[in-house]
């Protein structure tokens, strides 16, 4: 309330007409002359107040609007790219390139490494948020990185440095991020082959430093995945590298490392079948069965820290295939189990094919019938287990409890789903589920309802999480077209996103 001075003594008609009032006793002259009823005169001892809150607020706001607030300059596209790349590859839950921090900080003057970091970071930024500028700058940095890395390889002292192997690993990662229709030759494999050659050149001294061992473990994993995806033979240099790593660390006790050993056996066996090194059908069948038994044995020997919990639910959500789901202690544990399941599906599909004739009928004899039935059951169970891993990471807009009971939440440390916008933390975990879901749904063994459920989940990922490749895979499954799983894995970016 604001005080506006003493009241006017004039009558109301004079105040309204803004005329001077002579304050005559009966009626003022102005009212008499205008033939109006004079209202009389007010008490001059009263004070007049007017509500001025809104007006005062407007004046204050106007004064504030004239104040110039300095703004921070926008981050360059290079800074944005490095931030998002480091967040997901160096500091994120999986940390596939955790060793980058120590190597890069020590060798920041190496231009070939710096340009390689820029190239892969910009490519990753463009993959997450398509920007024409990022794509152009990524290509430019990649070409520059290739030139500087080629120059470094010509210098013996630079060729043996950690930064050179790391630069080559990053250039390979760039290829996996940007390639959507791989031909499985050229740059797809060249960078990794070159990195393997450099490791061999450097000798055993490199395995002493733990951070460098991490880089070599990543190299061995990428080479293995590349061989499996492209159906190339497993390289002897890869096997030698893994033996040397195992001799210098405790890695062999890691379930993921042991699983990789079995994947190598699978890749070798499949290559022998493709090239008919193993031509005897009975020998092939029993080799496949023996390898599957090794996978089963590994699953029984997984330590408690790598186990998952099975949670029953009273009411299924749209993201439950059956009335239960799995809770994994960490995402890399879920990845390990889904790799196990997807590989067993592919392995048992080979077993089934060996039990059937050209017309698709099971060969005569009780042994073939039994083998065929066991392989079919294994595929169905692995497919359902892959589906059960989805609710933990799909993060939909509807609210439901992942733990199955209020008391379990504190023990497992698992959140419940919340309504609202998609959580960006679940973008990559969702993306990494696309490949195992595809492997499960593409099998001719699984019921049509499972394949349809997978398609629905992929479409949800595309709509809610804006994952474009989820829609591509959903359309592929819906078309019924048989596609090599390796090509789908490569189309998804291979280990660039699924590592």
């Amino acid at each position: 309330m604001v005080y506006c001075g003493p009241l006017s003594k004039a009558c109301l008609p004079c105040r309204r007409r803004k005329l001077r009032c002579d304050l005559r006793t009966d009626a003022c002259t102005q009212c008499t002359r205008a033939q109006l009823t004079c209202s009389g005169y007010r008490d001059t001892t009263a004070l007049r107040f007017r509500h001025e809150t809104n007006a005062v607020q407007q004046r204050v706001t106007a004064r504030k609007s004239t104040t110039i607030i300095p703004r921070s300059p926008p981050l360059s596209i290079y800074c944005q790219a490095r931030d998002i790349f480091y967040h997901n590859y160096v500091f994120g839950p999986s940390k596939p390139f955790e060793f980058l921090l120590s190597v890069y900080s020590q060798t920041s003057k190496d231009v070939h490494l710096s340009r390689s970091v820029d190239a892969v970071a910009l490519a990753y930024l463009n993959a997450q948020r398509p920007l024409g500028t990022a794509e152009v700058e990524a290509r430019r940095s990649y070409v520059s990185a290739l030139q500087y890395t080629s120059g470094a390889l010509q210098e013996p002292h630079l060729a043996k440095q950690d930064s050179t192997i790391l630069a080559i690993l990053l250039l390979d990662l760039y290829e996996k991020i940007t390639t959507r229709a791989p031909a499985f030759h050229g740059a797809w494999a060249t960078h990794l082959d070159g990195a393997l050659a450099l490791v061999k050149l450097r000798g055993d001294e490199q395995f002493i430093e733990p951070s460098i061992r991490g880089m070599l473990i990543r190299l061995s994993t990428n080479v293995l995945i590349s061989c499996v995806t492209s159906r190339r033979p497993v390289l002897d240099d890869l096997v030698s590298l893994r033996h040397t790593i195992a001799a210098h660390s405790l890695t062999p006790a890691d379930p993921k490392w042991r699983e990789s050993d079995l994947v190598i056996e699978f890749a070798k066996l499949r290559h022998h079948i493709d090239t008919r090194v193993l031509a005897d059908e009975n020998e092939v069948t029993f080799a496949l069965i023996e390898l599957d038994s090794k996978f089963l044995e590994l699953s029984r020997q997984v330590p408690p820290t790598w186990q998952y919990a099975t949670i029953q639910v009273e009411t299924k959500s749209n993201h439950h295939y059956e009335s239960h789901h799995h809770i994994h202690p960490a995402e890399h544990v879920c990845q390990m189990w889904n790799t196990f399941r997807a590989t067993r599906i592919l392995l048992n599909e080979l077993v089934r094919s060996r039990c059937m004739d050209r017309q698709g009928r099971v060969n005569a004899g009780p042994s073939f019938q039994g083998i065929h039935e066991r392989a079919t059951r294994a595929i169905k169970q692995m497919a359902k287990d892959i589906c059960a891993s989805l609710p933990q990471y799909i993060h939909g807009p509807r609210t439901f409890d992942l733990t199955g009971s209020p008391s379990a939440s504190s023990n497992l440390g698992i959140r419940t789903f919340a309504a609202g916008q998609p959580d960006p933390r679940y973008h990559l975990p969702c993306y990494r589920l696309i490949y195992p879901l595809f492997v499960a749904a593409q099998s001719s063994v699984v019921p049509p309802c499972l394949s349809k459920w997978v398609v629905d989940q992929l479409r949800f990922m595309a709509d809610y999480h804006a994952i474009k490749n989820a829609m591509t895979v959903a359309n592929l499954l819906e078309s019924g077209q048989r596609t090599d799983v390796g090509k789908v894995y490569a189309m998804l970016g291979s280990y660039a996103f699924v590592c």
Side-chain angles (χ1 to χ4, degrees):
M1 307 296 284
V2 179
Y3 172 65
C4 297
L7 292 171
S8 170
K9 297 179 182 180
C11 65
L12 181 60
C14 286
R15 291 200 310 274
R16 285 179 174 174
R17 297 166 66 200
K18 297 183 180 180
L19 298 174
R20 184 182 293 277
C21 185
D22 58 8
L23 306 176
R24 286 177 58 185
T25 303
D26 297 330
C28 73
T29 303
Q30 299 289 2
C31 289
T32 302
R33 191 178 292 168
Q35 296 183 354
L36 297 173
T37 302
C38 188
S39 63
Y41 315 114
R42 293 188 298 180
D43 183 3
T44 57
T45 61
L47 293 176
R48 179 157 58 94
F49 288 85
R50 186 169 66 243
H51 191 278
E52 291 283 348
T53 301
N54 293 336
V56 171
Q57 287 178 343
Q58 289 174 1
R59 288 196 293 271
V60 172
T61 304
R63 284 198 296 269
K64 284 185 177 180
S65 64
T66 60
T67 305
I68 299 176
I69 302 175
R71 296 183 177 180
S72 301
L75 287 174
S76 71
I77 195 169
Y78 285 86
C79 291
Q80 294 178 51
R82 289 198 180 206
D83 283 350
I84 191 172
F85 178 77
Y86 270 70
H87 174 75
N88 287 292
Y89 285 83
V90 180
F91 302 115
S94 298
K95 301 178 181 178
F97 277 76
E98 185 179 13
F99 49 84
L100 174 63
L101 196 59
S102 59
V103 176
Y104 186 52
S105 63
Q106 296 169 6
T107 60
S108 57
K109 293 183 180 180
D110 290 329
V111 181
H112 60 300
L113 178 56
S114 178
R115 298 294 170 85
S116 298
V117 171
D118 285 338
V120 71
L122 287 163
Y124 182 71
L125 174 65
N126 186 66
Q128 298 299 306
R129 302 197 301 266
L131 301 167
T133 307
E135 185 176 11
V136 171
E137 292 300 320
R139 290 174 182 171
R140 185 177 300 165
S141 296
Y142 178 70
V143 172
S144 178
L146 282 176
Q147 293 171 345
Y148 279 104
T149 303
S150 297
L153 292 173
Q154 304 303 316
E155 301 289 338
H157 69 285
L158 285 177
K160 291 186 177 183
Q161 286 186 1
D162 302 333
S163 59
T164 303
I165 292 182
L166 180 52
I168 296 173
L169 272 177
L170 293 173
L171 292 174
D172 171 70
L173 192 63
Y174 173 93
E175 289 290 338
K176 301 305 184 288
I177 291 174
T178 58
T179 302
R180 289 295 171 265
F184 297 133
H185 57 73
W188 176 267
T190 300
H191 292 313
L192 291 178
D193 292 345
L196 273 179
L198 285 181
V199 169
K200 190 174 182 180
L201 181 67
R202 284 160 51 112
D204 290 348
E205 308 84 48
Q206 63 192 311
F207 295 94
I208 298 174
E209 182 62 40
S211 62
I212 306 307
R213 283 205 301 270
M215 182 170 64
L216 299 178
I217 291 172
R218 171 48 48 194
L219 171 62
S220 70
T221 301
N222 290 1
V223 173
L224 171 57
I225 294 173
S226 181
C227 290
V228 173
T229 304
S230 61
R231 301 180 82 100
R232 292 198 304 159
V234 176
L235 304 174
D236 291 338
D237 286 345
L238 169 61
V239 177
S240 175
L241 172 60
R242 289 179 61 85
H243 284 327
T244 309
I245 291 172
H248 287 82
S249 66
L250 299 176
T251 302
D254 187 304
K256 209 167 184 178
W257 183 266
R258 294 178 60 195
E259 181 183 64
S260 296
D261 286 338
L262 294 181
V263 172
I264 288 177
E265 287 191 43
F266 170 69
K268 286 182 175 180
L269 180 56
R270 188 176 62 175
H271 182 70
H272 289 163
I273 295 172
D274 290 344
T275 56
R276 299 196 62 79
V277 171
L278 278 179
D280 184 89
E281 290 298 324
N282 288 333
E283 187 179 355
V284 169
T285 302
F286 288 111
L288 290 167
I289 293 173
E290 183 181 3
L291 180 55
D292 190 52
S293 67
K294 291 182 181 179
F295 274 97
L296 279 173
E297 185 64 24
L298 172 63
S299 69
R300 299 187 188 104
Q301 296 174 354
V302 170
T305 53
W306 287 77
Q307 294 285 2
Y308 57 86
T310 300
I311 308 298
Q312 300 293 330
V313 294
E314 294 181 1
T315 305
K316 288 168 52 178
S317 74
N318 292 335
H319 304 303
H320 284 82
Y321 176 66
E322 295 183 316
S323 58
H324 69 273
H325 59 263
H326 296 158
I327 293 295
H328 304 84
E331 193 199 345
H332 68 273
V333 175
C334 179
Q335 286 180 254
M336 187 275 290
W337 279 106
N338 278 342
T339 299
F340 166 85
R341 295 158 184 155
T343 307
R344 281 201 70 205
I345 288 175
L346 299 177
L347 184 59
N348 279 280
E349 283 182 339
L350 290 175
V351 172
R352 288 183 77 252
S353 68
R354 291 300 178 280
C355 298
M356 303 172 74
D357 58 22
R358 295 180 182 274
Q359 284 71 42
R361 295 172 301 193
V362 180
N363 291 326
S367 61
F368 283 110
Q369 187 69 38
I371 292 171
H372 184 271
E373 289 177 356
R374 284 194 298 272
T376 301
R377 286 196 302 270
I379 293 172
K380 289 181 177 179
Q381 186 59 54
M382 293 301 98
K384 289 191 290 187
D385 286 346
I386 288 172
C387 294
S389 70
L390 180 132
Q392 184 179 5
Y393 298 107
I394 191 72
H395 190 70
R398 298 181 63 185
T399 302
F400 63 89
D401 188 2
L402 276 175
T403 60
S405 66
S407 60
S409 179
S410 58
N411 295 331
L412 293 171
I414 303 298
R415 52 153 189 80
T416 57
F417 283 126
Q421 296 298 317
D423 189 332
R425 292 175 300 172
Y426 291 89
H427 182 92
L428 276 178
C430 263
Y431 195 97
R432 293 176 181 129
L433 286 168
I434 297 176
Y435 173 72
L437 286 171
F438 171 78
V439 173
Q442 59 82 42
S443 175
S444 59
V445 172
V446 301
C449 60
L450 186 145
S451 298
K452 183 183 181 303
W453 180 88
V454 168
V455 169
D456 291 341
Q457 304 311 307
L458 293 173
R459 292 194 184 283
F460 173 84
M461 290 182 191
D463 294 338
Y464 187 70
H465 290 284
I467 300 175
K468 182 180 178 181
N469 278 338
M471 185 63 74
T472 302
V473 175
N475 292 338
L476 190 62
L477 286 170
E478 209 164 36
S479 70
Q481 177 184 351
R482 295 291 295 176
T483 306
D484 182 74
V485 294
K487 291 184 177 179
V488 173
Y489 185 80
M491 181 271 293
L492 292 171
S494 186
Y495 44 77
F497 300 113
V498 191
C499 63

